[in-house]
Amino acid sequence: MNVTVPPIPAEYDAYRERLRQFIATHKPSLDWKPRTGLRVPETAADVEALKRWVGALYDAGYVLQRFSEQPLDEFEQRILTEELARTGIPYVLGNPLVGGALVAYGTAEQKATYLPPMARGEHIWSQLFSEPNAGSDLTGLQTRGRLDGDDYLIDGQKVWTTWASWSDFGYLLARTEPVAGAAGITAFVLPMNLPGIDVRPLREMTGTTDFNEVFFDGVRVPASNVIGKPGEGWKVAAASLVTERGGVGAAGSGDSVNGLVRLAREHQRDGRPRIDDSSVRQDIGAYAARSRIQKYLSYQVATKAANGTIGAADAPLTKVWYSELNLEMAEYGLSLQGARAALAEGDPEAYQDGLWQDMFLYARAWTIAGGSNEIMRNLIAERGLGLPREPRGS
Amino acid sequence: MDFAFNEDQELLRQTTRRFLENRQSLQSVRQVLESDDVFDRSVWRSGAELGWTAMLIPEDYDGGSVTDQPLVDLAVLAQELGRVLYPGPFIPTNVVADALAASGSEAQRKDLLPLIAAGESVAAWCTTGDGSPYVRSVAVDATAVPDGYRLDGVARYVHGAGSADVLLVAAKSEEGLVHLLVPGHSVGVDVRRLVGLDLSRRLGEVRFEAVPVAASSVVGTAGAEGEAILARGLRLASVLQAAEAVGAAEYLFQATVQYAKDRVQFGRPIGSFQALKHRFADMHISMEAMRVAAQYAALAVADGQPDAEEAVAVAGSYVKEAFSAMCGEALQLHGGIGFTWEHDVHVFLRRAKTDQVLYGDPAWHRERLCQLIEAATAVENAK
């Protein structure tokens, strides 16, 4: 049994130094304010700057493993993701999950056309899955694709689409076959500049605009844009959804624990730092335990992935664990601030310019997105534990 | 990344499970719950042949482990023993063996370790007067006398005190905390069997009245090393306790899932109701969290990882509470049958609640965790 990550050998120092210099030279300055969560730039100038940034990285040979079919040097990848994460700005633009679908089900031509520009940041993608009437029950989606000659005509509506207003292509699920449920669904590559597509930014409870609504009115898309075969869309999508749920849990919460300690040091109650209050110390200890367990769970998932023994309950478990811990820690972060928690971003007295208030609001996204936690619990109980399935309505 | 027990350890698990099915099943434990002594020495001796007491003992003293991570091997055994609520002094005997292996004199090791490894000698660990892990709660005084000490005082909540051949006693001396070996049946040592909430283990109150102990029976030295022995023992006990809890909780959880599939009300298995399914999902989540926390603690301590202290505090706080909560849920989901004496669930619940307060309660472990994170972030800030 072993979870130690081999230390990066000294000969890689030169690579890191080169990369740091590259970042110092090319890192764009943005209007955008870093926040927790999957956040999207709000101006075209930021998007253009980010595209140039990702393109420059790629052209200089700083390529992420997820965008390469060749296995890349493991130590270089670690250094690359560490250093890019430290910049605090995105280095993957849009929602790249279509990549997995294309690798598994795409034609050679589709792969050649779409994968390299996605890696270079030239093409920004978004995922067109959720609908107003198909959230938890995604197989009930109603967006239609009607075959008309060599094209499909798409009509319907999607929602909760990140990056849609800046995206060049959409990874679309639509109902093309005359059957209900999963078997009627087909996956498409949808160029977002086609006539009949209307993207409307959606302002969320955070006050920021990270999602969109997307409307389709007779959008004509060639049948050659189908990923896999007509009616296989659910299979195509299943793999990427699993990745997304696992991905939610991969985000760390260790930083937030340190943030809570800092908050408790910097705020007082009745003249005493909150960190001296034994009930606060107990709470921080409890959050720290859950945060560390999240890390241990990731070791277990990585081991199962390597051994091919991932079970149906594993991704839902990680998703529930992370999203609920994240929400509780954000709420606790506010409670440590006392009345100051009433201030938000923009007030000069707000702690860390309202970072925790934004985290508190955005945390609500994670318990819903990628399959609500209630659906995750159904999956754990039914597919993980083998309890009887929920009865289905007609 | 290899965060799983290996093939040899899984083989050890199977062998142990089969042995326990034959010799010390949950049913057999239940049969002796109300007798004075629940400890069966013949089972212990056979268990010793399977390595129950040998893992932490060096080969020179007849010990030996399955892999080069002896504590991880021992955690496999602990899980299996937890599954049947094994009554014997598995944790204290291993703590004492480990203390001797790490800090004992050559004579102490030669005298005791082979006997412990062979299952001929069982040990108990006398720590504090109130069962807490605090040095200041040690309530035995070691008064210096020519060529040794005289012990006076009391240690409580001592697992296996009544059947122990040898006691490792923490005592306060002028030089600080000191650990001493005392034969279990020495003159002046009086053991009262406590009437316990946990029916599957016997705890004792051990009184020392002018018990003479030779200087040669001091383990290590008094002072800083004495405190280190206490800390090391608590760490080990917490790791083993967490592993036992995982085994016990897993057995009970599986039994409860099965019950929910079999029990029919309103014409449906009760496990088909979503209100219950979501509770089962939460139990599964907590089961896996317990499992990884206990497993990581064993690994981190076995390998001496820099985050070993932290990992023990995670296990000591989270697993103890989750085990108890799991038993409570199992009882509720069994309904009325779970409230009967005849049903097993209360025996688990009693064990879980008792485990919670021994070898450091969850609050103690949480405070430790907070301290460790404070120290780490102080260093970070200073950088």
Side-chain angles (χ1 to χ4, degrees):
Chain A
M1 197 180 286
N2 175 23
V3 299
T4 46
V5 183
I8 297 171
E11 63 252 39
Y12 284 87
D13 288 355
Y15 176 86
R16 190 188 292 272
E17 196 41 47
R18 239 182 10 255
L19 174 60
R20 281 186 177 171
Q21 278 172 18
F22 183 88
I23 288 172
T25 317
H26 291 85
K27 183 186 156 186
S29 61
L30 304 173
D31 298 333
W32 183 59
K33 182 187 164 178
R35 296 181 170 89
T36 63
L38 278 181
R39 311 307 275 270
V40 178
E42 302 202 359
T43 66
D46 275 4
V47 174
E48 285 312 310
L50 284 168
K51 281 187 157 184
R52 282 196 300 276
W53 157 242
V54 173
L57 281 166
Y58 188 86
D59 292 342
Y62 298 118
V63 178
L64 295 170
Q65 180 65 66
R66 69 178 302 155
F67 294 125
S68 169
E69 294 196 37
Q70 316 305 322
L72 301 175
D73 186 290
E74 230 175 275
F75 293 119
E76 288 188 359
Q77 285 294 306
R78 274 172 54 193
I79 294 169
L80 185 57
T81 47
E82 278 170 28
E83 294 297 324
L84 289 176
R86 278 159 51 111
T87 64
I89 61 172
Y91 51 95
V92 174
L93 307 183
N95 185 328
L97 292 172
V98 70
L102 288 172
V103 168
Y105 292 96
T107 63
E109 195 193 334
Q110 284 174 335
K111 288 185 217 178
T113 309
Y114 300 118
L115 292 177
M118 180 163 66
R120 274 199 84 236
E122 277 170 70
H123 291 175
I124 295 181
W125 283 75
S126 53
Q127 178 183 299
L128 298 162
F129 284 16
S130 289
E131 299 183 1
N133 291 319
S136 293
D137 184 12
L138 192 56
T139 61
L141 62 85
Q142 293 162 348
T143 293
R144 300 237 159 232
R146 185 165 54 81
L147 195 59
D148 180 41
D150 290 338
D151 301 326
Y152 280 91
L153 290 175
I154 310 288
D155 287 283
Q157 182 192 349
K158 297 288 175 178
V159 71
W160 304 122
T161 314
T162 49
W163 288 85
S165 48
W166 310 117
S167 66
D168 304 286
F169 291 93
Y171 171 24
L172 170 75
L173 294 186
R175 183 168 302 287
T176 60
E177 308 305 303
V179 278
I185 296 172
T186 298
F188 290 90
V189 171
L190 184 74
M192 292 295 281
N193 60 0
L194 291 178
I197 300 179
D198 183 17
V199 176
R200 297 183 200 163
L202 185 64
R203 194 175 185 209
E204 300 92 39
M205 59 181 277
T206 45
T208 55
T209 303
D210 301 291
F211 297 91
N212 301 270
E213 296 175 292
V214 183
F215 295 84
F216 312 107
D217 181 12
V219 178
R220 183 171 286 277
V221 56
S224 58
N225 280 28
V226 168
I227 306 173
K229 295 195 183 72
E232 272 190 355
W234 190 249
K235 219 164 65 180
V236 175
S240 38
L241 279 178
V242 167
T243 319
E244 183 175 12
R245 279 169 203 155
V248 169
S253 58
D255 289 353
S256 301
V257 174
N258 294 350
L260 289 179
V261 171
R262 191 179 150 190
L263 261 171
R265 280 188 180 130
E266 295 177 2
H267 287 84
Q268 299 201 341
R269 166 172 255 170
D270 197 16
R272 277 173 65 216
R274 307 238 39 203
I275 192 73
D276 293 345
D277 179 337
S278 72
S279 80
V280 169
R281 302 179 66 78
Q282 286 292 308
D283 291 337
I284 289 177
Y287 289 122
R290 290 165 64 189
S291 165
R292 296 306 185 265
I293 286 171
Q294 186 189 319
K295 186 170 70 176
Y296 310 154
L297 284 169
S298 78
Y299 297 154
Q300 191 182 47
V301 168
T303 302
K304 285 184 177 184
N307 297 337
T309 55
I310 291 273
D314 286 322
L317 187 165
T318 317
K319 198 256 172 182
V320 171
W321 187 269
Y322 168 74
S323 60
E324 293 182 359
L325 174 59
N326 179 58
L327 173 59
E328 283 181 51
M329 283 176 40
E331 297 204 347
Y332 191 69
L334 293 196
S335 80
L336 286 176
Q337 296 176 23
R340 196 183 185 185
L343 302 177
E345 182 179 334
D347 189 284
E349 300 286 318
Y351 183 72
Q352 294 180 334
D353 193 23
L355 181 78
W356 288 86
Q357 282 72 13
D358 180 71
M359 179 178 164
F360 156 73
L361 294 169
Y362 193 89
R364 294 284 169 177
W366 287 134
T367 56
I368 300 167
S372 73
N373 287 10
E374 289 67 32
I375 293 296
M376 296 300 105
R377 288 186 163 88
N378 283 358
L379 290 174
I380 292 169
E382 294 176 1
R383 303 206 189 149
L385 302 175
L387 292 173
R389 300 282 299 259
E390 284 300 299
R392 306 266 149 169
S394 52
Chain B
M1 183 66 58
D2 176 26
F3 190 45
F5 295 107
N6 73 14
E7 271 177 36
D8 292 337
Q9 288 161 339
E10 289 302 334
L11 194 65
L12 175 69
R13 179 192 305 287
Q14 286 165 25
T15 312
T16 310
R17 191 172 294 186
R18 264 199 311 274
F19 170 80
L20 289 168
E21 273 163 13
N22 291 330
R23 297 289 302 278
Q24 187 90 78
S25 63
L26 181 58
Q27 287 66 36
S28 76
V29 172
R30 288 219 51 161
Q31 281 161 13
V32 295
L33 286 183
E34 288 174 274
S35 52
D36 281 347
D37 199 356
V38 287
F39 177 51
D40 182 337
R41 263 184 194 264
S42 72
V43 172
W44 180 263
R45 283 196 196 93
S46 307
E49 288 171 28
L50 296 171
W52 290 8
T53 51
M55 300 291 183
L56 304 179
I57 295 176
E59 280 177 20
D60 290 352
Y61 307 99
D62 301 348
S65 55
V66 177
T67 69
D68 58 1
Q69 292 171 321
L71 185 52
V72 180
D73 301 342
L74 203 58
V76 173
L77 293 177
Q79 285 184 352
E80 293 307 309
L81 292 168
R83 228 180 132 80
V84 299
L85 300 178
Y86 177 69
F90 172 73
I91 291 178
T93 301
N94 275 297
V95 166
V96 173
D98 178 68
L100 291 176
S103 307
S105 69
E106 181 56 25
Q108 289 165 352
R109 295 191 217 183
K110 242 167 48 195
D111 284 352
L112 276 168
L113 289 180
L115 288 174
I116 291 176
E120 294 302 323
S121 187
V122 295
W125 186 32
C126 301
T127 55
T128 57
D130 59 7
S132 76
Y134 300 100
V135 173
R136 69 170 67 89
S137 298
V138 170
V140 176
D141 289 317
T143 313
V145 296
D147 195 37
Y149 291 99
R150 190 191 72 223
L151 299 186
D152 295 279
V154 61
R156 291 195 184 84
Y157 314 107
V158 179
H159 179 203
S163 45
D165 302 299
V166 60
L167 308 172
L168 180 65
V169 184
K172 284 174 171 164
S173 75
E174 279 199 358
E175 301 84 38
L177 191 68
V178 63
H179 278 76
L180 310 109
L181 290 166
V182 178
H185 306 289
S186 303
V187 175
V189 174
D190 179 56
V191 177
R192 177 174 80 86
R193 186 196 135 183
L194 303 175
V195 180
L197 177 67
D198 181 0
L199 302 168
S200 57
R201 271 177 181 156
R202 294 291 174 266
L203 302 179
E205 174 188 272
V206 187
R207 290 195 171 274
F208 301 86
E209 209 180 306
V211 178
V213 181
S216 60
S217 294
V218 173
V219 178
T221 52
E225 193 180 1
E227 294 195 16
I229 291 171
L230 179 67
R232 184 183 169 100
L234 287 170
R235 200 158 59 219
L236 175 56
S238 296
V239 168
L240 295 178
Q241 209 182 25
E244 285 185 348
V246 166
E250 187 170 59
Y251 171 83
L252 195 57
F253 179 45
Q254 286 168 351
T256 309
V257 170
Q258 192 57 50
Y259 183 76
K261 291 177 183 176
D262 296 341
R263 168 80 172 169
V264 173
Q265 291 285 276
F266 303 101
R268 296 160 63 176
I270 61 169
S272 69
F273 293 106
Q274 198 174 42
L276 299 197
K277 271 195 231 176
H278 283 198
R279 287 170 75 164
F280 276 101
D282 284 333
M283 289 162 80
H284 172 76
I285 291 170
S286 133
M287 185 68 242
E288 291 309 300
M290 289 170 70
R291 184 193 314 285
V292 295
Q295 192 169 310
Y296 189 77
L299 172 63
V301 174
D303 284 358
Q305 296 282 0
D307 62 349
E309 290 283 340
E310 183 184 282
V312 168
V314 170
S317 56
Y318 184 83
V319 175
K320 285 185 185 199
E321 289 197 336
F323 178 28
S324 178
M326 174 74 81
C327 296
E329 281 293 90
L331 199 153
Q332 178 69 21
L333 291 163
H334 272 88
I337 190 80
F339 191 69
T340 61
W341 178 267
E342 186 189 358
H343 201 276
D344 290 333
V345 69
H346 74 100
V347 193
F348 283 84
L349 182 65
R350 289 160 175 270
R351 166 68 71 92
K353 213 64 200 168
T354 305
D355 267 6
Q356 224 176 25
V357 295
L358 298 178
Y359 305 123
D361 64 10
W364 182 73
H365 287 285
R366 277 193 293 269
E367 169 62 29
R368 283 287 298 143
L369 204 42
C370 188
Q371 284 171 12
L372 291 164
I373 288 163
E374 270 187 291
T377 53
V379 170
E380 223 168 75
N381 290 348
K383 266 185 195 169

